Amino acid sequence: MRAGKPDPRGGKTATSDLEERHDVQGRQQGDRYVRIVRPFQNEFQRKSAGHLVATEEVLAPTSAPGRLADRARRLLFGARIPTAHEIQERVGKAKGLAVFASDNISSSAYATEEIMRVLLLAGLGTMAALTLPITLVIIAVLAIVVLSYQQTIRAYPNGGGSYIVASDNLGPFPGLTAAGALLTDYVLTVSVSIAAGVAALTSIFPELFDARVALGVAFVAVLAIGNMRGIRESATIFAVPTYIYLVAIFGLLAYGLFRAATGTLPEYSAPQAWRDAAAVEPLGILLVLRAFASGSVALTGVEAVSNGVPAFKPPEWRNAQVVLILMGSFFGAIFLGMSLLAGQLGIVPDPSEQETVVSQLTRTLVGAGSPFHYLVQISTALLLVLAANTAFADFPRLSSILARDRFMPHYFQFRGDRLAFTTGIVALALLSAVLIFAFGGSVTHLIPLYTIGVFVAFTLSQSGMVRHWWKLRGTEQGWRWRAGLNALGAVATAIVAVVVGVAKFALGAWMVLVLIPALIALIWAINRHYRKVEDALTLDRPDAALPRRAAPRVLVLLARLDRASLEALGYARSIAPLVTAVHVTDDPAEAERMRARWRQLDVDGDTDLVILESPYRALIPPLLAYIDALQAQDPERPITVVLSEFIPRRPWEYLLHNQAALRLKLRLFFRPNTVVIDVPYHV
Amino acid sequence: MRAGKPDPRGGKTATSDLEERHDVQGRQQGDRYVRIVRPFQNEFQRKSAGHLVATEEVLAPTSAPGRLADRARRLLFGARIPTAHEIQERVGKAKGLAVFASDNISSSAYATEEIMRVLLLAGLGTMAALTLPITLVIIAVLAIVVLSYQQTIRAYPNGGGSYIVASDNLGPFPGLTAAGALLTDYVLTVSVSIAAGVAALTSIFPELFDARVALGVAFVAVLAIGNMRGIRESATIFAVPTYIYLVAIFGLLAYGLFRAATGTLPEYSAPQAWRDAAAVEPLGILLVLRAFASGSVALTGVEAVSNGVPAFKPPEWRNAQVVLILMGSFFGAIFLGMSLLAGQLGIVPDPSEQETVVSQLTRTLVGAGSPFHYLVQISTALLLVLAANTAFADFPRLSSILARDRFMPHYFQFRGDRLAFTTGIVALALLSAVLIFAFGGSVTHLIPLYTIGVFVAFTLSQSGMVRHWWKLRGTEQGWRWRAGLNALGAVATAIVAVVVGVAKFALGAWMVLVLIPALIALIWAINRHYRKVEDALTLDRPDAALPRRAAPRVLVLLARLDRASLEALGYARSIAPLVTAVHVTDDPAEAERMRARWRQLDVDGDTDLVILESPYRALIPPLLAYIDALQAQDPERPITVVLSEFIPRRPWEYLLHNQAALRLKLRLFFRPNTVVIDVPYHV
């Protein structure tokens, strides 16, 4: 290095030398970074040496439109919440029932109707005869599943979702199957519940019927926004509509049963068109199975309680068990009462799905347009929206667990401003909105897709429990009857899964039977990829040395000699001792002009110009060949290509610049041992 | 710098020191680059020190699919042509007529028909009475324009396209208006000629009628591919169909006129349905003007000869003048003969556009399906395709001139493997194919859009010539009558432009009247942008010094401590003396783990770790705030952010990585004085 010349690498002029010393001093005192940040104390707080904690100030937008957008965001989603302020609100039995039972209990809004719709195909008589027996069978299965899950709650006080129980006891593959089934199920919970909620509303406001798809999508959007706000925190919001629904519906059923017992049921008569739609298929075993499969939608949401055990107040498992029993009893009672009364009144489902069976039943008992009719319908709609909301809590949580276990992309773990799992919420909202749109907002068309996933997850979870008790056979008293009970649950739910799959196959269940394996394959491929990357990236030893690399060989691609390229050359010369400017041209005369202009420049000895003449006019191949030649001479030394990128002020102006640079970057990106540096030039 | 420690900036270890010396030696001998390229002599030839010429070898693909693609490309487009091999083929009068007249002469295939179609709306009688007079008026305008252009040829021996003449004499804005009009016109030349060519074919092969849009688009594709090959080079390909057409059509007309003179014309009778379609509008002045406007399509292509003067053999201007006169005479004779005979025979245009008037006329005279009928139709179709082809030469050439003058994006100047202006060819093909598709391949629907642009360009060009003669008034003999002749041309074409604009406004001319100003505004905005950029980028002095910048402050963003991040740290330490690793996390426990892992590493004193804790979970804002703080401390020193980017093997795997890095890059891209370096890590 010649004296009096600045060092090209350190850039040490008289001034910067001073700064460097100043820096090093600071570092030796261990508080350089704090000093640096002193003028920005609003934005960082020092925790220890080299450990700064950002304040909310760093998120403050600086531009006027940014501030406006930020204000709008706060209005929509609420103020930001720091991670440390996460609240684990615990619920007792009363609120717990409201939070965890809405998904299941809300099925009573459509379970009876879906059974009747299938049976109606074989005629009014068949429907009248078989609706109640099928309801009773389903309630029996529900009882088995509830008892079976009582044990899961006891065994998994930290939350026993199907994914966890199946992974724990049966291994990763059954666990993933349960996860795939559950993810599908959550999407359908949203679609079906919202569609049913809209149907409850259009029963009293028929003029909304034509807008049911738009209404459904709007509800999904409201739920997505609400969950980005983090509405999960407040249980009170759940309690009100759930209890209003329970009071209203039990009141209705009690009144109806009293009238039935006294023989004073009002007259009901379905329009002739509805009756004519009946009896288009013969009664056969498959039809009965299909009716059963449709009704088994009644069991959806049962696993919610066992998922959420840690959210209960102590004793958690005891409270959860009580809530599960209450939920099963309430739901069973409503379901039974509804099927009984619908049969007594001779209600016929509306083939156009304009009015629900619940609405017909209520209207017949208390009069159309009476306040009670409105109360029942609106509280039903609210409950169904809440049911959809539980999926908005469960889907993002399950996907974040899967992402943590490296089965889904990392960003499903990311929590937004309000601690909500943004990606999961958005994914769920999009998928369920697409389903509502694709199936025209019809509950009956969506139902065949719904129950498969639920029962696959049930079966795997219960089988996992059987295995669980078997593992504890030495220590646990009564493991035999416990395993037996779970085995009964597993068998019952497996049978239902098969029945649903067979009976509803052609109606849409095939989609789910294709989707779940595809989802599992995808999850598996993602996991395999992450594991491979982890293997490839993990350091052999934790005390590895930070590498010292040779200074790169730096090429600066020059299109012209202008301020932007001088900027790039200046940057290149600040990071490496020897820099080569490269100019590619197809015109020999232009090459001479470039050489002459270069000679005019005041260039010191460290930087040379190489002209690559390209008679075939291609830009990138000659450059790549030249880089290959350099690399062959000195294989260890990384190649660095510096491009000067002109940054225009307006986005459309991009189309007028940097096209060649973009293509070059793409090509060099895949070249090993090569780094591309864009030196932006802002006008 | 401590002894025994490698220099962090130069990366000088014992070995690399040696290499450095070796490099510098090479450079001092002035032939370092040649030595470097020695093992790659196939790929480069040395022209002088620091000036290498790439051979075709650099373009050779290295992978098997690449070789296959290259072979396919060669098959389709031909072998690559180096720039130096560009051939300027000169043409004489005979070939010149074929090359430059096909656009104009081919209009005879539809000019008469388009007049008749408009007149037919006022009844068969009106059509019979007015077709010939309107034809004569148009031929008179043609004569004026041809004489006017004779002078342009004389005055602009290097090619006097409307853009050049108008820019030269009237200033940039009229020049750009002419350019915008011409670009529009070229697109429509392709659409109309191809649509008419397809109509000539479907007249003899009616079964192709339903596929006419697909056929038209296919012809456009063939022309685009052909022009990428560079078929413009060979004039012979043009000569054959043009002369076959001339011979066939003159034979037909002579035969027809002989039969007419001898009173032996065969009987013709149009189907009743065609006659019924007539007389739906009253005869008025606007209808006559519309018929005139439709027929003025006959003048399209006249400017081609004056555009192409330098392509003629010497004496260029004299040959070009002769060709222009010949073209005008031939076209006028055909147009007149066609209108005369169609009137004599009483031909009625087919409202469904299934058979052209020329085909009906030929069929009536020589018998349907006779070889001569086929000859006329096929040579007409070929000539029309050639006419479209002239636009494929003119549009890319004009856009490359506009790009050179910085009125269009740079890449319109780029010439591909075969010296063709690829971007212009592709743009023209896409635009004209879209038009054919949008107008269902109908000539009659496209015609209203066509002629506006032509006559606007004519008017500007002729006005420019008037100005030209005025400027030469001192030196040029007879400038008065020359200016007068051009003024007559300008007035005549201006009148036609206004007539077309008014008469066809509602039929589609409005689109062009909107499009041309929009195009001019776009071209102007592009030019303004390029000029501003040029102003901002041009060096103040040609002997500016290459800047010496301070070494950048380098931050390495660490997500984890793994091989990829060590690679990035190694690279960072090779380009700057002081490197700071930055880790952003929302989890205090994770921060502690990172700190502990960092302590385990073998880090020397030049690299520190800073942890930014982000309680609100955002990644980018705290980092930006930290960078701002650093920058505020030392505003001169550029900030460099090094990211380690993991490069997966398969494209879909990208979705699982680098999402945060991508967003960060986008944000930093717009930050002044900041450079982002991606250090790719290939598994």
Side-chain angles (χ1 to χ4, degrees):
Chain A
M1 200 183 302
R2 276 165 290 172
K5 267 263 179 187
D7 173 1
R9 289 156 286 174
K12 284 182 192 160
T13 63
T15 341
S16 68
D17 235 334
L18 215 84
E19 287 168 22
E20 212 88 89
R21 223 175 300 130
H22 163 93
D23 271 350
V24 173
Q25 267 178 6
R27 201 151 41 88
Q28 283 165 350
Q29 292 163 14
D31 62 348
R32 178 163 60 120
Y33 301 101
V34 180
R35 268 202 286 112
I36 289 164
V37 186
R38 197 160 291 153
F40 291 82
Q41 270 189 338
N42 291 335
E43 301 186 333
F44 290 105
Q45 290 180 329
R46 192 190 170 206
K47 197 162 173 180
S48 64
H51 189 149
L52 303 172
V53 181
T55 66
E56 204 176 348
E57 200 65 32
V58 304
L59 300 166
T62 51
S63 67
R67 270 192 295 274
L68 203 69
D70 191 58
R71 201 165 304 162
R73 203 191 46 69
R74 274 163 186 260
L75 207 69
L76 203 58
F77 299 115
R80 297 184 182 89
I81 307 173
T83 311
H85 291 192
E86 189 173 23
I87 306 158
Q88 285 293 349
E89 197 189 2
R90 297 292 190 103
V91 291
K93 285 189 275 284
K95 279 192 179 174
L97 183 66
V99 171
F100 294 109
S102 66
D103 183 6
N104 177 249
I105 291 180
S106 69
S107 323
S108 58
Y110 48 82
T112 298
E113 174 165 350
E114 294 303 326
I115 298 173
M116 291 168 73
R117 277 187 189 283
V118 178
L119 293 174
L120 185 64
L121 296 173
L124 291 168
T126 310
M127 186 179 80
L130 290 184
T131 300
L132 197 57
I134 289 176
T135 301
L136 288 170
V137 174
I138 292 170
I139 289 175
V141 176
L142 173 66
I144 294 172
V145 172
V146 164
L147 289 177
S148 189
Y149 264 98
Q150 289 290 75
Q151 307 211 71
T152 310
I153 290 171
R154 186 77 177 87
Y156 283 87
N158 293 321
S162 301
Y163 167 62
I164 289 169
V165 174
S167 311
D168 245 30
N169 297 298
L170 303 175
F173 192 73
L176 286 187
T177 310
L182 279 177
L183 290 176
T184 319
D185 173 35
Y186 291 142
V187 174
L188 282 155
T189 298
V190 176
S191 308
V192 170
S193 301
I194 293 289
V198 171
L201 287 182
T202 58
S203 297
I204 42 171
F205 305 113
E207 59 278 14
L208 294 177
F209 185 72
D210 287 337
R212 60 182 181 156
V213 170
L215 262 176
V217 171
F219 275 125
V220 171
V222 168
L223 282 181
I225 292 169
N227 278 279
M228 302 244 216
R229 283 189 76 103
I231 54 172
R232 197 163 53 93
E233 287 158 45
S234 165
T236 318
I237 199 172
F238 283 81
V240 179
T242 307
Y243 283 105
I244 293 178
Y245 176 82
L246 286 177
V247 167
I249 214 82
F250 275 122
L252 178 76
L253 293 174
Y255 176 66
L257 292 172
F258 169 77
R259 301 268 307 250
T262 56
T264 57
L265 274 182
E267 197 70 17
Y268 166 86
S269 143
Q272 192 54 43
W274 300 7
R275 295 165 173 277
D276 291 346
V280 293
E281 284 185 31
L283 176 63
I285 180 73
L286 195 64
L287 192 86
V288 175
L289 289 180
R290 264 170 60 197
F292 171 78
S294 283
S296 63
V297 76
L299 271 75
T300 56
V302 167
E303 81 286 358
V305 180
S306 67
N307 259 332
V309 185
F312 283 91
K313 289 188 181 143
E316 289 89 352
W317 64 271
R318 172 54 60 200
N319 283 329
Q321 283 188 334
V322 171
V323 163
L324 183 57
I325 290 284
L326 282 176
M327 178 189 88
S329 314
F330 284 161
F331 173 73
I334 298 171
F335 189 24
L336 186 63
M338 201 71 80
S339 295
L340 197 67
L341 270 179
Q344 292 286 323
L345 286 165
I347 297 227
V348 177
D350 172 2
S352 73
E353 296 186 48
Q354 211 143 357
E355 186 174 9
T356 63
V357 164
V358 174
S359 171
Q360 288 192 60
L361 194 145
T362 313
R363 170 166 61 80
T364 310
L365 284 174
V366 301
S370 69
F372 196 75
H373 184 203
Y374 279 93
L375 176 71
V376 169
Q377 291 309 113
I378 290 174
S379 68
T380 304
L382 271 177
L383 188 71
L384 282 161
V385 171
L386 288 188
N389 192 62
T390 57
F392 268 99
D394 291 339
F395 181 98
R397 193 174 47 209
L398 178 57
S399 24
S400 81
I401 292 172
L402 287 167
R404 187 201 61 200
D405 296 353
R406 297 186 299 173
F407 287 109
M408 280 177 76
H410 290 321
Y411 34 85
F412 278 92
Q413 265 187 283
F414 173 79
R415 293 197 288 177
D417 281 346
R418 298 275 301 178
L419 283 167
F421 294 106
T422 319
T423 314
I425 291 172
V426 171
L428 176 63
L430 286 179
L431 292 171
S432 54
V434 164
L435 276 183
I436 290 176
F437 183 79
F439 287 83
S442 155
V443 177
T444 304
H445 291 154
L446 282 164
I447 285 285
L449 283 70
Y450 191 12
T451 27
I452 286 259
V454 181
F455 282 93
V456 167
F458 278 159
T459 309
L460 288 165
S461 162
Q462 300 312 307
S463 313
M465 287 307 295
V466 174
R467 185 81 194 282
H468 173 81
W469 300 122
W470 173 253
K471 284 197 276 186
L472 295 180
R473 65 191 177 282
T475 56
E476 184 85 11
Q477 283 292 327
W479 67 271
R480 271 175 221 277
W481 73 263
R482 287 179 191 279
L485 186 54
N486 281 131
L488 181 65
V491 170
T493 52
I495 290 172
V496 180
V498 171
V499 167
V500 174
V502 172
K504 299 279 186 179
F505 188 82
L507 290 170
W510 65 269
M511 291 187 233
V512 179
L513 290 173
V514 168
L515 188 69
I516 291 177
L519 206 56
I520 295 168
L522 180 66
I523 285 176
W524 198 253
I526 289 172
N527 180 249
R528 196 162 143 262
H529 170 74
Y530 278 135
R531 274 184 290 123
K532 268 170 60 184
V533 169
E534 176 94 359
D535 288 348
L537 290 185
T538 303
L539 298 177
D540 292 330
R541 321 170 32 158
D543 58 346
L546 275 198
R548 279 259 168 245
R549 294 264 181 276
R553 180 176 287 279
V554 177
L555 303 180
V556 181
L557 194 64
L558 288 190
R560 285 164 305 279
L561 269 183
D562 57 20
R563 291 179 196 216
S565 37
L566 250 53
E567 188 74 26
L569 279 165
Y571 184 83
R573 285 149 54 92
S574 79
I575 62 167
L578 281 171
V579 171
T580 305
V582 180
H583 177 63
V584 185
T585 179
D586 65 335
D587 180 357
E590 205 275 317
E592 285 317 310
R593 279 198 298 278
M594 185 57 148
R595 169 71 63 200
R597 289 212 55 192
W598 181 264
R599 285 211 193 90
Q600 277 190 288
L601 279 186
D602 177 13
V603 183
D604 52 39
D606 287 344
T607 308
D608 290 304
L609 172 69
V610 168
I611 290 178
L612 299 180
E613 204 183 306
S614 174
Y616 293 90
R617 294 166 301 280
L619 164 68
I620 294 174
L623 196 68
L624 289 178
Y626 183 70
I627 292 175
D628 286 343
L630 287 183
Q631 188 105 69
Q633 197 212 21
D634 187 355
E636 288 306 302
R637 197 181 285 277
I639 298 278
T640 292
V641 178
V642 175
L643 304 173
S644 99
E645 186 140 9
F646 174 76
I647 314 287
R649 287 222 189 94
R650 275 159 294 190
W652 69 268
E653 297 174 340
Y654 266 90
L655 292 172
L656 305 175
H657 297 276
N658 308 326
Q659 308 294 330
L662 201 69
R663 281 188 300 143
L664 179 64
K665 271 188 279 185
L666 210 67
R667 285 288 287 275
L668 289 177
F669 199 58
F670 294 96
R671 195 178 187 284
N673 219 358
T674 310
V675 172
V676 179
I677 304 181
D678 262 326
V679 179
Y681 187 84
H682 298 261
V683 177
Chain B
M1 201 182 301
R2 276 164 289 172
K5 268 266 181 182
D7 173 359
R9 289 156 287 173
K12 283 182 193 162
T13 62
T15 341
S16 68
D17 236 333
L18 215 83
E19 289 169 21
E20 212 87 88
R21 224 176 297 126
H22 163 92
D23 271 350
V24 172
Q25 267 178 8
R27 202 151 41 88
Q28 282 164 353
Q29 289 161 18
D31 62 350
R32 176 162 62 122
Y33 301 101
V34 181
R35 269 203 285 112
I36 288 166
V37 186
R38 197 160 287 153
F40 292 82
Q41 271 189 338
N42 292 334
E43 301 186 333
F44 289 105
Q45 290 181 329
R46 191 190 170 204
K47 198 161 171 181
S48 64
H51 190 151
L52 303 173
V53 179
T55 66
E56 206 176 348
E57 199 66 31
V58 304
L59 300 166
T62 50
S63 66
R67 271 192 294 275
L68 202 70
D70 191 56
R71 202 165 302 161
R73 204 192 44 72
R74 274 163 186 261
L75 208 70
L76 202 58
F77 299 115
R80 295 184 184 87
I81 307 174
T83 311
H85 290 193
E86 187 172 24
I87 306 160
Q88 286 292 349
E89 198 188 4
R90 298 291 191 104
V91 291
K93 287 189 274 285
K95 279 191 179 175
L97 184 67
V99 171
F100 293 109
S102 65
D103 183 7
N104 177 248
I105 291 180
S106 68
S107 323
S108 59
Y110 48 83
T112 298
E113 175 165 347
E114 295 301 327
I115 297 173
M116 292 168 72
R117 276 188 189 282
V118 177
L119 293 175
L120 185 63
L121 297 173
L124 291 167
T126 309
M127 186 179 78
L130 290 184
T131 300
L132 197 58
I134 288 177
T135 302
L136 289 170
V137 174
I138 291 170
I139 289 175
V141 177
L142 173 66
I144 294 171
V145 171
V146 164
L147 289 178
S148 190
Y149 264 99
Q150 288 292 76
Q151 309 208 71
T152 309
I153 291 171
R154 185 77 178 87
Y156 283 87
N158 293 321
S162 302
Y163 167 60
I164 290 169
V165 175
S167 311
D168 246 29
N169 297 299
L170 303 176
F173 192 74
L176 287 187
T177 310
L182 280 175
L183 291 176
T184 319
D185 173 35
Y186 292 141
V187 173
L188 282 155
T189 298
V190 175
S191 308
V192 170
S193 302
I194 293 288
V198 171
L201 287 180
T202 58
S203 296
I204 42 171
F205 305 112
E207 59 277 14
L208 294 178
F209 185 73
D210 288 336
R212 60 182 182 156
V213 170
L215 262 176
V217 172
F219 274 126
V220 171
V222 168
L223 282 179
I225 292 169
N227 278 280
M228 303 246 212
R229 282 190 77 102
I231 52 172
R232 198 162 53 92
E233 288 158 45
S234 166
T236 320
I237 198 172
F238 283 82
V240 180
T242 307
Y243 283 106
I244 293 178
Y245 176 81
L246 286 177
V247 169
I249 214 81
F250 275 122
L252 178 76
L253 293 175
Y255 175 67
L257 292 172
F258 169 77
R259 300 270 307 252
T262 56
T264 57
L265 274 183
E267 195 70 20
Y268 165 87
S269 146
Q272 193 54 45
W274 298 9
R275 296 163 171 276
D276 291 346
V280 294
E281 285 186 28
L283 175 63
I285 180 71
L286 194 65
L287 192 86
V288 175
L289 289 180
R290 263 169 62 197
F292 171 78
S294 284
S296 62
V297 77
L299 271 76
T300 56
V302 168
E303 81 288 357
V305 181
S306 67
N307 260 332
V309 185
F312 284 91
K313 287 188 183 145
E316 289 89 354
W317 65 273
R318 170 57 58 201
N319 283 329
Q321 283 190 333
V322 172
V323 163
L324 183 58
I325 291 284
L326 282 176
M327 181 189 87
S329 314
F330 284 161
F331 173 74
I334 298 172
F335 188 25
L336 186 62
M338 202 69 82
S339 294
L340 197 68
L341 269 178
Q344 292 286 323
L345 284 165
I347 298 229
V348 178
D350 172 2
S352 75
E353 296 186 50
Q354 211 142 357
E355 187 174 9
T356 64
V357 164
V358 174
S359 171
Q360 287 191 60
L361 193 147
T362 314
R363 170 165 61 82
T364 309
L365 285 173
V366 302
S370 69
F372 196 75
H373 185 206
Y374 279 93
L375 177 72
V376 168
Q377 291 308 115
I378 290 174
S379 66
T380 304
L382 271 177
L383 188 72
L384 283 161
V385 171
L386 288 188
N389 191 61
T390 55
F392 268 99
D394 291 338
F395 182 97
R397 194 174 46 208
L398 179 57
S399 26
S400 81
I401 292 173
L402 288 168
R404 187 202 61 199
D405 296 353
R406 298 184 301 174
F407 287 109
M408 280 177 74
H410 290 320
Y411 35 86
F412 278 92
Q413 265 187 285
F414 174 77
R415 293 197 288 177
D417 281 346
R418 300 274 301 177
L419 282 168
F421 294 107
T422 319
T423 314
I425 292 172
V426 171
L428 176 63
L430 286 179
L431 291 171
S432 54
V434 164
L435 276 182
I436 291 176
F437 182 81
F439 288 83
S442 154
V443 178
T444 304
H445 291 154
L446 282 164
I447 284 286
L449 283 70
Y450 191 11
T451 26
I452 286 262
V454 181
F455 282 94
V456 167
F458 278 160
T459 308
L460 288 166
S461 162
Q462 301 312 308
S463 314
M465 287 306 296
V466 174
R467 186 79 194 282
H468 174 80
W469 300 122
W470 174 255
K471 284 196 277 187
L472 296 180
R473 64 190 177 282
T475 56
E476 184 84 9
Q477 284 292 326
W479 68 270
R480 270 176 221 277
W481 71 263
R482 288 181 191 278
L485 187 54
N486 280 129
L488 182 64
V491 169
T493 50
I495 290 172
V496 180
V498 172
V499 166
V500 175
V502 171
K504 299 280 185 177
F505 187 82
L507 291 169
W510 67 269
M511 289 186 234
V512 179
L513 290 173
V514 169
L515 189 70
I516 293 178
L519 206 56
I520 295 168
L522 180 66
I523 285 176
W524 198 254
I526 289 172
N527 180 250
R528 198 163 142 262
H529 170 74
Y530 277 136
R531 274 184 290 125
K532 268 170 59 184
V533 170
E534 176 93 0
D535 288 347
L537 290 185
T538 304
L539 297 178
D540 292 331
R541 322 172 32 161
D543 59 345
L546 276 197
R548 280 257 168 247
R549 295 263 181 275
R553 181 175 287 279
V554 178
L555 304 180
V556 182
L557 193 63
L558 288 189
R560 284 164 304 278
L561 269 183
D562 57 21
R563 290 178 195 218
S565 38
L566 251 52
E567 187 73 26
L569 279 165
Y571 183 83
R573 285 149 51 93
S574 79
I575 63 167
L578 280 172
V579 171
T580 306
V582 180
H583 178 64
V584 184
T585 179
D586 65 334
D587 181 357
E590 205 276 318
E592 285 316 311
R593 280 198 299 277
M594 185 57 148
R595 170 71 63 199
R597 288 214 55 193
W598 181 264
R599 286 213 191 90
Q600 276 190 291
L601 279 185
D602 178 12
V603 183
D604 52 40
D606 287 342
T607 308
D608 290 304
L609 172 68
V610 168
I611 290 178
L612 299 181
E613 203 182 307
S614 173
Y616 294 90
R617 294 166 302 281
L619 165 67
I620 294 176
L623 196 67
L624 289 178
Y626 184 70
I627 293 175
D628 285 343
L630 288 182
Q631 189 104 68
Q633 198 210 23
D634 187 358
E636 289 306 301
R637 197 180 286 277
I639 297 279
T640 292
V641 177
V642 175
L643 304 172
S644 101
E645 186 140 7
F646 174 75
I647 314 285
R649 286 222 189 93
R650 275 159 294 192
W652 70 265
E653 296 173 341
Y654 265 92
L655 293 173
L656 304 176
H657 297 276
N658 307 327
Q659 307 294 330
L662 201 69
R663 279 188 302 143
L664 180 62
K665 270 190 280 184
L666 210 67
R667 285 288 287 272
L668 289 177
F669 198 59
F670 294 96
R671 196 177 186 283
N673 219 358
T674 311
V675 172
V676 179
I677 304 181
D678 261 325
V679 178
Y681 187 83
H682 297 260
V683 176

